[in-house]
Amino acid sequence: MANKRIFIGTGRRKSSIAQVKMVPGTGKITVNGRDVRDFFPYETNVMDLKQPLVATKTENTFDIEVKVNGGGFTGQAGAIRLGITRALLEYDKDTDPTSETSFRKILKTAGFITRDSRVKERKKPGLKAARRAPQFSKR
């Protein structure tokens, strides 16, 4: 285990939290002990969480192990994407961030570094949802 470094990143999206461990390997992604394609029902979720790897051309460079909980599939995929991005930044931290080949510059341009802070708005009293009022009846 001397030459195998572990890169860790934590990602959050909506009410999902993902802990990502990245080690040099062949490109295998495991989510909660299951293969990524078995865990997510939609291919778009898998494509979404792989975006940072595709942008940095490291799809087959790392084995990724993820623990994720909370939220639904979309939130979990977004949380994993941010976790992978942060782990990639940890891996590439010695590279000059101003160079064109630095992961930070590539991922920042693609918009993966920023955490998406949008969450569901709470329901207010007297309304049917956060802003949805009951239907108005004249009579």
Side-chain angles (χ1 to χ4, degrees):
M1 190 83 181
N3 63 345
K4 281 220 173 188
R5 292 216 28 231
I6 298 174
F7 305 99
I8 298 173
T10 303
R12 292 181 193 84
R13 169 85 168 89
K14 294 187 176 183
S15 59
S16 302
I17 300 172
Q19 295 169 305
V20 177
K21 284 183 186 173
M22 206 168 69
V23 292
T26 58
K28 190 170 183 279
I29 301 176
T30 312
V31 181
N32 289 354
R34 293 160 57 189
D35 184 64
V36 69
R37 297 197 189 284
D38 296 337
F39 187 83
F40 286 108
Y42 305 112
E43 187 62 33
T44 52
N45 294 137
V46 178
M47 286 168 38
D48 187 35
L49 69 88
K50 283 186 174 181
Q51 283 178 328
L53 298 170
V54 173
T56 56
K57 298 176 181 64
T58 54
E59 298 107 305
N60 301 321
T61 313
F62 298 105
D63 285 341
I64 298 171
E65 191 179 311
V66 182
K67 283 185 199 162
V68 65
N69 62 346
F73 297 123
T74 305
Q76 288 181 346
I80 293 170
R81 182 173 82 172
L82 182 59
I84 289 173
T85 300
R86 288 180 173 171
L88 284 168
L89 291 176
E90 170 111 2
Y91 165 76
D92 196 47
K93 69 179 173 215
D94 297 331
T95 308
D96 178 32
T98 58
S99 78
E100 291 296 318
T101 57
S102 80
F103 284 2
R104 180 161 195 85
K105 191 156 198 146
I106 295 166
L107 295 167
K108 183 80 172 165
T109 307
F112 299 142
I113 294 178
T114 310
R115 185 227 196 265
D116 189 348
S117 60
R118 296 175 297 168
V119 292
K120 188 168 179 144
E121 191 176 335
R122 81 173 199 80
K123 182 192 175 301
K124 315 301 187 305
L127 300 180
K128 291 190 171 289
R131 299 181 186 207
R132 167 83 171 98
Q135 188 172 7
F136 175 74
S137 171
K138 211 174 221 183
R139 296 167 188 63

